Amino acid sequence: MSKARASGRTVGGTRSLSLQAPAVTLLFLWMAVPLAMTLWFSFQRFNLLMPDMTGFAGLENYEYLFTDPALWSAMGTTLVLVGSVLAITVIGGTLLAILFQQEFFGRGVARVLAISPFFVMPTVSALVWKNMMMHPANGVLAWVAELFGLPAVDWFSSLPLTSIIIIVAWQWLPFALLILLTALQSLDDDQVEAARMDGAGPLAVFFYITLPHLKRAISVVIMIEMIFLLTVFAEIFVTTSGGPGLATTNLAYFIYISALLDFDVGMASAGGVVAIILANIVAIFLVRMVAKNLEN
């Protein structure tokens, strides 16, 4: 009987593995082949404008990459962009979640309208902000400034990185709101009422009850957003093209410039390897942080 059970488990396990093998193999190839090609090209001399210059380059691409001031400028821009958007979305999402948790007329419609920007494509969002909101002559912000007798601001020339931060934060704020509002709905109302009966004011309730309750949700928002914000590209491409100068060139756009504008595939591949390492370091740190919060 035990032999039959063991045989059944073996047959069932083998059958399960045989069914999973095609999907696992396809997923492995999907990840491994591009990564292997990126690593291989990063050690090659491969510039499309100079097809005769080929061969093994060793660490030349990496040496040139790390001595290029544009790389460090792009990494600094990336950190500022990611940090600013995270701060705006987490703080704004928390406050909006508390607001939309309250009862008021039209709350359902207001929730739908507040979450809808997350479903707008990045390219469309960038075009709307560029041509309808931030245009120095015909934009909504220019019209508002004119109402108050203030000069119109040419956002993408005078405040380029701030403009990108506003556009990206507008897209990701609804995501933070959705996650935090969902988490807030699981907060025990009896606990809040008991604190209020004990004399706790709104600030005390927020800092000692609401915020600790949202700790896990905030960790999840930070983890997911940071992974995606490291690869922001469409908003920069549509609005500023990385300029003026390198003012809005992040790491993703720097790789694009190296690959498709300078045609230096080896240099771009080296930048891609750096981006992969950076993204994995961030992902490992964030996963551990989320796991720690879940354990607590």
Side-chain angles (χ1 to χ4, degrees):
M1 185 72 175
S2 61
K3 289 183 179 180
R5 288 179 180 176
S7 175
R9 286 199 194 108
T10 304
V11 172
T14 305
R15 185 178 302 163
S16 177
L17 289 175
S18 65
L19 293 174
Q20 295 174 4
V24 174
T25 303
L26 179 61
L27 183 61
F28 175 77
L29 292 175
W30 188 18
M31 295 185 299
V33 171
L35 177 60
M37 293 184 65
T38 301
L39 286 170
W40 186 80
F41 279 120
S42 69
F43 293 105
Q44 302 292 319
R45 297 186 185 91
F46 191 8
N47 192 313
L48 298 178
L49 296 179
M50 294 177 286
D52 296 332
M53 292 182 59
T54 57
F56 183 72
L59 296 175
E60 288 182 8
N61 290 323
Y62 291 95
E63 181 180 358
Y64 182 77
L65 178 69
F66 285 110
T67 55
D68 187 359
L71 172 67
W72 302 107
S73 175
M75 294 187 70
T77 301
T78 302
L79 292 177
V80 172
L81 176 61
V82 172
S84 301
V85 174
L86 282 177
I88 294 172
T89 54
V90 171
I91 296 174
T94 302
L95 297 178
L96 287 175
I98 295 173
L99 173 63
F100 284 115
Q101 182 69 2
Q102 310 302 316
E103 292 285 347
F104 59 88
F105 177 75
R107 184 177 66 169
V109 176
R111 284 180 176 180
V112 173
L113 293 176
I115 296 172
S116 58
F118 182 65
F119 302 100
V120 179
M121 290 183 293
T123 305
V124 176
S125 173
L127 286 172
V128 168
W129 277 92
K130 180 180 180 180
N131 298 317
M132 297 182 63
M133 299 297 296
M134 292 181 172
H135 194 279
N138 304 316
V140 173
L141 297 180
W143 176 74
V144 172
E146 185 180 355
L147 287 179
F148 289 95
L150 300 175
V153 178
D154 191 352
W155 288 86
F156 296 107
S157 296
S158 57
L159 298 169
L161 186 56
T162 303
S163 304
I164 299 298
I165 291 172
I166 292 173
I167 295 172
V168 178
W170 179 79
Q171 287 181 271
W172 283 97
L173 182 59
F175 171 78
L177 169 62
L178 182 62
I179 300 298
L180 296 175
L181 181 59
T182 303
L184 195 60
Q185 289 176 346
S186 65
L187 179 62
D188 189 1
D189 293 334
D190 294 336
Q191 185 180 6
V192 177
E193 288 298 327
R196 289 174 178 170
M197 292 178 64
D198 290 337
L203 291 178
V205 171
F206 173 75
F207 284 107
Y208 293 104
I209 297 178
T210 304
L211 200 57
H213 179 77
L214 293 177
K215 186 177 180 181
R216 295 179 179 180
I218 290 175
S219 300
V220 172
V221 169
I222 292 175
M223 180 183 70
I224 296 176
E225 283 194 14
M226 185 171 288
I227 293 173
F228 282 94
L229 292 176
L230 288 172
T231 60
V232 170
F233 175 80
E235 296 85 347
I236 298 173
F237 178 80
V238 171
T239 56
T240 63
S241 298
L246 297 174
T248 55
T249 299
N250 64 346
L251 191 55
Y253 201 82
F254 172 79
I255 296 171
Y256 163 76
I257 291 175
S258 300
L260 298 180
L261 298 184
D262 295 340
F263 299 99
D264 194 341
V265 178
M267 177 78 165
S269 299
V273 172
V274 172
I276 292 170
I277 294 173
L278 179 62
N280 279 275
I281 291 174
V282 171
I284 291 171
F285 171 76
L286 292 174
V287 167
R288 288 185 177 180
M289 181 181 71
V290 172
K292 185 177 179 180
N293 287 332
L294 293 176
E295 289 176 0
N296 294 335

